[in-house]
Amino acid sequence: MGRLDVRSDFTPEDGRVFTKALLRDLAALEEMINSGMIEDDIRRIGAEQELFLVNDGWRPAPLAVEVLARLRENGPFTTELARFNLEVNLAPQEFTGDCFRYLEDEIRELVGEVRSAANDLGAEVVMAGILPTLGKSDLTMENITPRVRYYALNDAMTTARQGEYRLQIQGTDELHIQHDSVMLEACNTSAQVHLQVSAAEFANFYNVAQVVTAPVLAAAANSPLLFGKRLWAETRIALFQQSLDTRSPMLHTRELSPRVRFGEKWVTGSATELFHEDIARFRVLLVREIEEDPRELLADGKIPTLDALQLYNSTIYRWNRPCYGISNGKPHLRIECRALPAGPTIQDEIANAAFWLGLVMGAAQEYGDISRHMEFDHAKSNFLAASRMGLQAILTWVNGETFGVRRLIREELLPLARKGLESVGINAEDIDRNLGIIESRVEVAGTGSNWMLRSLSLMKGQGTSAERLAAITAAMAHRQAEDIPVHEWPPATLDEGGGWKLNYLKVEQYMTTELFTVNEDELVDLVAFLMDRKAIRHVLVEDADHRLVGLVSYRSLLRVMSRGGSDGLGETPAVREVMEPGPVTVAPETPTLEAIDLMRKHKVSCLPVIKAGRLVGIVSERDFMSIAYELLEERLQEVV
């Protein structure tokens, strides 16, 4: 997430001073590129590993600060936006020989350190693009990591949006929600890959990276679920873009770019093209005091850190992002692939990285200037198709040929990636192992996304939604520990989640969200129709803004019928005449024991669930029946 000593509450003068430093840094970078100062005699790769922390119920555990305190000082571990996430930064490796083996061993060692520290606190580590058990109540400001940068980022994003954060994602199911903070972004974790390139080859390598990201993402998809909804194969792509979108809905007629994006066109010159484009399109969100003058440093033969440019660049979220850095006293450029999800296993992540890196090298050699063989719009639409459909996607490849992505990977891309990895001297055994994992995964369509959806389908009708999602999360953690590639995973089973006890802690874990409601001015007979046809005992009454105004229970409807039916209320009786106004309500994060206490205290059989003043669900006595059966069986067995 970048530097922490920043602020968003800056004055116009502060903004102008920072912008001046930003433009100065950009000019200095151009000077370094033009004078041949950018390192070009070595090629390195690197990676960043993001993680979820979960509790014994497989739900998010906001313990990142406490876990970090138990890890070695000045280590490669750092915080992320949410208190239930951590990031591990891997050491750069020269892109040759055993680099993938070293990278895999380092990830294994560092994730093991995090897991050990988390276990000491009763938590576990899970690698997932989106944690299946995440609930909206986990995304409150109480769970933001207590660092100045994260508060500043939230303030800046919220101010720029001029309104609430909204998500609308359509898949097998549809998700349409709104939120009040940037914490929606905390649903995402990734396994980022870096490739260092020279200044002269940057444009071509960047364009190639854009093209090959789509098929790699299709094969790596691991995020089909968000808040229990089945959405895109890689839902992170839509979620990340929408959660960090600073475009105000009030400016809908203007052609504004989202801050998270694939891009608009091919790069034709140098890396500075992308920085120029970003500065032209996006305002400064965060500032900090910039002490260095890069021109003076260059004049003295020193290398500037370009702090202003790096801070600004950290608030621009290209899926392939240009980055500047310094290694061993030499400035370098690298391409950061941010599209690949965390998990399902370390082996799978390394295979994904090898596939992407091999394709970048192989395609650059095979096609030269890729913009001569493919339209940019095809590269962009391929990326969206892969995100939505995973291995079912149809992609338009070079020279306009159309392929199903599985065929494209098997026939064209795996051989191309092999050539690319061989060209930089990667060990043959490592090439076979990593590309073999991709080949097997594609052959059986065994991505993490497909495994989750298959597991969910096989558990249909078993337990509650929360139990099924907990089972998937638990199974992911268990299989990750076994370190078996995802295409070999057996489906998750309900008992892996630990049973009902940990999935009835809060109302949102089992509340009914498929609601049948009526308006207060509608006919009472419609309520009777809904109760009969949908086998429900409570119908909620909303106004035009989806705000709860009343409730009609089966009992209240019986009272009407005992008085001679709806005819006793007039020819066309309205719902408002029989509804119970102002029913007792709860929030999604309400503890179950508190909800039960409210039912007893107010002698009601259901509780509408309200969030931000709007109806989001209902919990009734019927929801506790399955618990009652299991609890009774457990107690009777104790007696026997």
Side-chain angles (χ1 to χ4, degrees):
M1 291 295 292
R3 298 191 63 119
L4 303 179
D5 54 335
V6 300
R7 55 198 177 93
S8 62
D9 58 339
F10 51 89
T11 66
E13 175 63 18
D14 293 332
R16 290 191 291 271
V17 169
F18 182 83
T19 300
K20 186 175 182 179
L22 173 60
L23 295 174
R24 195 167 56 216
D25 280 1
L26 186 55
L29 178 59
E30 290 176 330
E31 182 180 336
M32 285 188 281
I33 290 173
N34 293 335
S35 61
M37 293 177 64
I38 300 298
E39 189 173 31
D40 62 3
D41 58 352
I42 190 171
R43 197 179 302 288
R44 298 186 184 91
I45 62 171
E48 299 171 41
Q49 174 72 66
E50 297 174 351
L51 304 166
F52 279 105
L53 300 174
V54 298
N55 59 25
D56 58 1
W58 306 106
R59 290 179 56 78
L63 295 170
V65 175
E66 294 81 356
V67 169
L68 201 59
R70 290 173 174 261
L71 296 169
R72 51 187 152 115
E73 275 189 67
N74 303 316
F77 312 101
T78 187
T79 57
E80 270 290 331
L81 176 63
R83 289 171 55 91
F84 46 76
N85 294 135
L86 275 176
E87 180 179 291
V88 180
N89 294 296
L90 287 304
Q93 301 283 340
E94 186 175 349
F95 188 19
T96 192
D98 294 332
C99 63
F100 291 119
R101 185 73 62 177
Y102 285 124
L103 193 63
E104 182 174 346
D105 289 345
E106 186 181 16
I107 296 176
R108 208 176 299 283
E109 177 186 348
L110 296 177
V111 171
E113 288 185 44
V114 176
R115 177 171 285 114
S116 178
N119 290 167
D120 289 344
L121 295 166
E124 185 52 87
V125 168
V126 174
M127 296 179 294
I130 297 173
L131 190 69
T133 50
L134 262 173
K136 197 177 173 186
S137 65
D138 296 309
L139 305 177
T140 66
M141 289 297 288
E142 292 178 0
N143 279 340
I144 195 170
T145 300
R147 299 287 188 270
V148 172
R149 175 185 170 89
Y150 304 125
Y151 290 116
L153 181 66
N154 179 69
D155 292 343
M157 288 285 184
T158 304
T159 299
R161 291 178 73 97
Q162 300 178 20
E164 294 179 311
Y165 295 73
R166 297 175 183 272
L167 288 183
Q168 186 164 5
I169 308 173
Q170 178 74 54
T172 301
D173 302 319
E174 183 177 11
L175 179 69
H176 190 187
I177 66 169
Q178 56 192 27
H179 196 54
D180 58 0
S181 76
V182 77
M183 285 292 285
L184 280 172
E185 189 272 328
C187 295
N188 300 290
T189 60
S190 61
Q192 298 163 24
V193 184
H194 297 247
L195 173 63
Q196 182 178 328
V197 298
S198 71
E201 66 189 2
F202 181 90
N204 190 46
F205 271 70
Y206 186 84
N207 291 337
V208 167
Q210 291 278 78
V211 169
V212 304
T213 296
V216 177
L217 183 61
N222 192 39
S223 311
L225 303 172
L226 177 60
F227 304 144
K229 303 289 187 181
R230 298 162 297 173
L231 302 171
W232 292 13
E234 192 51 47
T235 303
R236 284 173 49 258
I237 303 303
L239 170 61
F240 197 58
Q241 178 168 320
Q242 294 182 36
S243 64
L244 292 178
D245 193 348
T246 54
R247 294 174 296 179
S248 168
M250 299 172 64
L251 300 175
H252 63 279
T253 58
R254 287 178 55 184
E255 292 188 16
L256 300 177
S257 296
R259 216 169 183 99
V260 178
R261 69 198 197 282
F262 184 80
E264 292 77 30
K265 58 185 179 180
W266 299 120
V267 177
T268 58
S270 75
T272 57
E273 250 184 69
L274 297 170
F275 296 121
H276 278 289
E277 181 74 13
D278 291 340
I279 291 172
R281 289 178 180 272
F282 303 108
R283 294 178 180 175
V284 168
L285 288 182
L286 304 175
V287 305
R288 65 180 296 268
E289 291 186 15
I290 304 297
E291 298 176 357
E292 75 170 18
D293 185 330
R295 295 167 301 187
E296 292 181 1
L297 291 173
L298 287 173
D300 291 340
K302 299 177 181 178
I303 305 301
T305 57
L306 305 186
D307 281 350
L309 183 61
Q310 294 209 61
L311 173 57
Y312 177 80
N313 195 40
S314 73
T315 67
I316 306 297
Y317 306 93
R318 291 180 180 270
W319 289 113
N320 285 302
R321 182 158 67 182
C323 295
Y324 166 85
I326 302 173
S327 296
N328 302 322
K330 294 182 179 180
H332 70 256
L333 292 171
R334 63 187 188 275
I335 300 165
E336 176 189 23
C337 179
R338 303 171 51 81
L340 303 181
T345 67
I346 293 172
Q347 280 193 61
D348 286 303
E349 289 180 339
I350 296 298
N352 296 339
F355 189 32
W356 183 79
L357 290 162
L359 278 177
V360 172
M361 300 304 300
Q365 296 165 22
E366 180 78 11
Y367 303 119
D369 183 357
I370 193 71
S371 66
R372 296 177 179 272
H373 302 277
M374 180 182 286
E375 294 181 18
F376 182 84
D377 286 348
H378 286 158
K380 188 172 185 176
S381 62
N382 284 347
F383 181 75
L384 292 173
S387 305
R388 289 176 181 271
M389 303 303 296
L391 287 177
Q392 292 180 302
I394 305 296
L395 305 186
T396 302
W397 202 240
V398 296
N399 302 321
E401 290 188 77
T402 300
F403 291 86
V405 70
R406 293 173 69 188
R407 178 187 163 206
L408 176 66
I409 290 173
R410 286 195 302 260
E411 297 181 4
E412 302 283 337
L413 302 188
L414 283 169
L416 197 59
R418 180 176 292 276
K419 289 180 182 178
L421 295 175
E422 288 173 346
S423 73
V424 294
I426 300 298
N427 286 349
E429 182 181 343
D430 288 346
I431 295 176
D432 291 342
R433 178 172 180 257
N434 287 301
L435 296 187
I437 288 173
I438 299 296
E439 183 176 20
S440 297
R441 192 193 302 162
V442 170
E443 184 66 32
V444 299
T447 63
S449 285
N450 288 348
W451 174 82
M452 286 188 219
L453 294 175
R454 180 171 174 242
S455 295
L456 203 59
S457 176
L458 291 173
M459 289 188 285
K460 188 174 182 179
Q462 302 175 38
T464 63
S465 174
E467 288 179 274
R468 295 190 290 272
L469 296 174
I472 288 173
T473 306
M476 289 176 70
H478 297 152
R479 288 153 182 66
Q480 285 169 7
E482 295 168 358
D483 202 28
I484 304 169
V486 69
H487 66 272
E488 298 178 10
W489 285 9
T493 58
L494 192 69
D495 59 352
E496 293 185 81
W500 62 269
K501 292 182 181 179
L502 297 174
N503 294 291
Y504 277 84
L505 300 177
K506 294 181 180 181
V507 164
E508 71 174 348
Q509 292 179 272
Y510 54 88
M511 68 183 184
T512 299
T513 55
E514 185 181 12
L515 303 175
F516 298 97
T517 66
V518 295
N519 186 274
E520 58 189 334
D521 292 320
E522 291 187 288
L523 186 69
V524 167
D525 298 51
L526 179 60
V527 175
F529 173 84
L530 287 173
M531 287 183 175
D532 177 51
R533 294 303 175 92
K534 298 299 179 182
I536 54 178
R537 300 179 65 86
H538 304 91
V539 173
L540 302 171
V541 186
E542 296 180 292
D543 64 14
D545 295 320
H546 299 289
R547 297 183 185 277
L548 181 70
V549 295
L551 180 147
V552 181
S553 65
Y554 186 69
R555 184 178 301 173
S556 62
L557 199 61
L558 283 178
R559 282 200 296 268
V560 172
M561 300 304 295
S562 69
R563 295 199 300 264
S566 62
D567 293 341
L569 298 173
E571 284 190 17
T572 54
V575 169
R576 68 169 70 249
E577 299 176 59
V578 299
M579 74 179 188
E580 302 166 20
V584 181
T585 65
V586 292
E589 58 269 22
T590 303
T592 293
L593 291 178
E594 184 179 326
I596 293 173
D597 187 56
L598 280 172
M599 284 184 174
R600 287 174 174 168
K601 180 179 178 182
H602 294 278
K603 299 180 179 178
V604 295
S605 57
C606 77
L607 293 169
V609 185
I610 304 295
K611 185 73 174 180
R614 288 182 171 82
L615 183 64
V616 295
I618 187 171
V619 58
S620 70
E621 291 175 332
R622 182 180 294 181
D623 293 312
F624 301 118
M625 291 302 293
S626 60
I627 305 177
Y629 284 130
E630 295 199 35
L631 190 57
L632 182 60
E633 182 180 27
E634 183 180 298
R635 293 295 174 86
L636 287 175
Q637 287 176 347
E638 289 176 2
V639 172
V640 174

